[in-house]
Amino acid sequence: MGKQGRKRLVSYALFLAALFQCRFLAFAILDPLDFLALQLIRKSMNDLPGSSFFASWDFTSDPCNFTGVYCESDKVIALNLGDPRAGFPGLTGRLDTAIGKLSALTEFSLVPGRVFGSLPMSISRLENLRVLAITRNFISGDIPASLGRLRRLKTLDLSYNRLTGKIPRSIGTLPELTNVLLCHNNLSGSVPPFLSQALTRLDLKRNALTGSLPNSFSPSLQFLSLSWNQLTGPVDSVLSRLDQLSFLDLSFNRFTGPIPDRVFSFPLTNLHLQRNSFYGPVQPGDQVKISTVDLSHNMLSGRISPMFSTVQNLYLNHNRFTGQVPDSLVDRLLSASLQTLYLQHNFLTGIGINPTAEIPQSTSLCIQYNCMVPPVQTPCPLKFETQKTRPTSLCNEWKG
């Protein structure tokens, strides 16, 4: 072959190489491990009747074009299983352990459906994972302690499942956590310390948690819900430091001790401390700007503070409050600025309402079963409570 022939051959070879490279870039091939993992995940799940989420999952085409699959280069970086539109049928089946082979995954979510079985421990191998959200399914068993290896995790949402066992302490050590939602499960044991200085939302309501609260909640918390558990002990030292809270719900537990006055100055919209065993006086230092305050069904005592007159919905019923109802609360009630005022089942001795006064229809007042004859008759929430006034013997005994 002559010199010119060799040049033409080399040029042709370079042309073929360039053409191959262009085609490779245009039709990037998914990493084989990721491809296999998606196949196994698909085989382990199905659409519920009415769902067509997996309709696009045709493995003769590019998996990066599948619904819910997001790629970067040749790796899957996000996997969102199920139709995210509210009310749509979800998926059923089990979550395959192959999820742990998607090594570049940063986000994994599973919308409400009927996926059952345990949480695969292989998820703990996803070192880049930032969001893990598997909610409103039938996931059961323990939360793997190995999730503590996910040092970049920011959101952990396993709410509305059937998880049991303790909340692993290792989860509380994750340094970048901002949202933890484990509510509506069957978790037991104590609340572990959460050390992340970025944590803003902690929702553990509707479990079977016991013990007292740790003193290590981050002051960055804005939303804290621990209601409907079996938690005990005082909370004043814990709450006093959480001055960024906008929502606080500790209701339906067994907490004791005083309610710190400082909590009423927090930027809260809702404060729910009902159905506990809090005791002692409640004396906010300034006008309370919280929209809804529920301190009912405790053992709180002393006089009702006029600082509560700026609350829109105030529940102080079933306590041990004494004395006269502040006139400022009555004025706000009659002007319909205070929408709900429940004071029943206390030891109150008077309220400055003229018997001919008209209670606005938009408000709700209940003052029965106190140490006074109610000057006005208003509907109360519990129809079976027919006694209007507390027996004199009980009133005298409480004074004594």
Side-chain angles (χ1 to χ4, degrees), residues 178-181 198-203 205 220-224:
T178 57
N179 301 284
V180 178
L181 294 89
L199 191 63
T200 58
R201 185 182 184 94
L202 180 61
D203 192 345
K205 66 176 174 285
S220 61
L221 265 179
Q222 298 175 17
F223 181 105
L224 177 60

Side-chain angles (χ1 to χ4, degrees), residues 66-104:
F66 292 178
T67 302
V69 178
Y70 303 88
C71 301
E72 189 173 282
S73 185
D74 64 338
K75 303 292 289 183
V76 177
I77 60 169
L79 182 59
N80 307 128
L81 295 178
D83 194 321
R85 290 175 292 180
F88 266 64
L91 307 177
T92 186
R94 292 177 178 270
L95 183 56
D96 197 274
T97 58
I99 185 72
K101 296 184 181 297
L102 299 173
S103 58

Side-chain angles (χ1 to χ4, degrees), residues 94-363:
R94 292 177 178 270
L95 183 56
D96 197 274
T97 58
I99 185 72
K101 296 184 181 297
L102 299 173
S103 58
L105 204 63
T106 62
E107 177 182 329
F108 176 61
S109 66
L110 176 63
V111 302
R114 297 180 183 174
V115 176
F116 54 90
S118 59
L119 198 65
M121 295 187 65
S122 60
I123 291 178
S124 306
R125 297 202 295 264
L126 303 175
E127 297 179 354
N128 297 307
L129 202 63
R130 289 173 171 78
V131 176
L132 176 58
I134 305 174
T135 182
R136 294 181 186 271
N137 278 279
F138 299 125
I139 303 297
S140 59
D142 294 351
I143 300 175
S146 55
L147 291 185
R149 300 173 189 167
L150 304 177
R151 309 304 288 175
R152 297 184 180 181
L153 196 65
K154 294 180 180 294
T155 294
L156 176 63
D157 185 356
L158 303 176
S159 59
Y160 293 88
N161 280 290
R162 298 179 176 179
L163 295 167
T164 54
K166 297 182 178 180
I167 301 174
R169 294 180 68 89
S170 58
I171 289 178
T173 67
L174 294 175
E176 298 185 23
L177 274 181
T178 57
N179 301 284
V180 178
L181 294 89
L182 303 176
C183 56
H184 289 263
N185 280 287
N186 297 305
L187 298 169
S188 58
S190 59
V191 178
F194 285 89
L195 306 180
S196 170
Q197 295 302 302
L199 191 63
T200 58
R201 185 182 184 94
L202 180 61
D203 192 345
L204 307 179
K205 66 176 174 285
R206 295 275 182 174
N207 280 289
L209 300 171
T210 57
S212 57
L213 297 184
N215 283 312
S216 52
F217 286 138
S218 170
S220 61
L221 265 179
Q222 298 175 17
F223 181 105
L224 177 60
S225 180
L226 303 173
S227 61
W228 291 91
N229 281 286
Q230 301 167 30
L231 297 166
T232 57
V235 300
D236 50 335
S237 62
V238 179
L239 292 185
S240 294
R241 297 180 293 105
L242 304 180
D243 57 2
Q244 300 301 309
L245 284 173
S246 60
F247 182 94
L248 175 61
D249 189 353
L250 304 182
S251 60
F252 291 88
N253 278 286
R254 301 172 185 173
F255 291 119
T256 59
I259 297 173
D261 294 336
R262 190 164 181 261
V263 75
F264 297 104
S265 65
F266 293 172
L268 290 162
T269 57
N270 290 270
L271 175 61
H272 297 278
L273 301 179
Q274 69 269 26
R275 303 275 179 175
N276 280 285
S277 297
F278 292 117
Y279 58 79
V282 182
Q283 295 296 325
D286 205 347
Q287 290 291 335
V288 179
K289 299 178 181 179
I290 307 170
S291 176
T292 297
V293 174
D294 194 340
L295 309 181
S296 64
H297 293 269
N298 280 288
M299 296 185 289
L300 301 170
S301 58
R303 293 181 175 269
I304 296 174
S305 171
M307 297 300 177
F308 285 119
S309 62
T310 43
V311 175
Q312 292 182 8
N313 300 284
L314 181 62
Y315 304 87
L316 301 178
N317 51 290
H318 292 81
N319 276 288
R320 299 174 180 177
F321 288 111
T322 57
Q324 183 90 3
V325 178
D327 290 339
S328 56
L329 268 73
V330 176
D331 293 342
R332 296 271 296 178
L333 180 79
L334 295 178
S335 67
S337 298
L338 201 164
Q339 297 172 3
T340 307
L341 180 60
Y342 283 177
L343 302 175
Q344 68 269 26
H345 278 254
N346 278 287
F347 292 84
L348 300 169
T349 53
I351 182 169
I353 295 181
N354 192 304
T356 61
E358 291 188 9
I359 307 299
Q361 291 185 350
S362 60
T363 65

Side-chain angles (χ1 to χ4, degrees), residues 30-48:
L30 187 65
D31 180 279
L33 284 178
D34 285 27
F35 188 89
L36 177 61
L38 291 178
Q39 282 188 316
L40 293 173
I41 291 170
R42 172 63 186 92
K43 288 179 180 179
S44 68
M45 291 184 180
N46 290 294
D47 285 299
L48 285 170

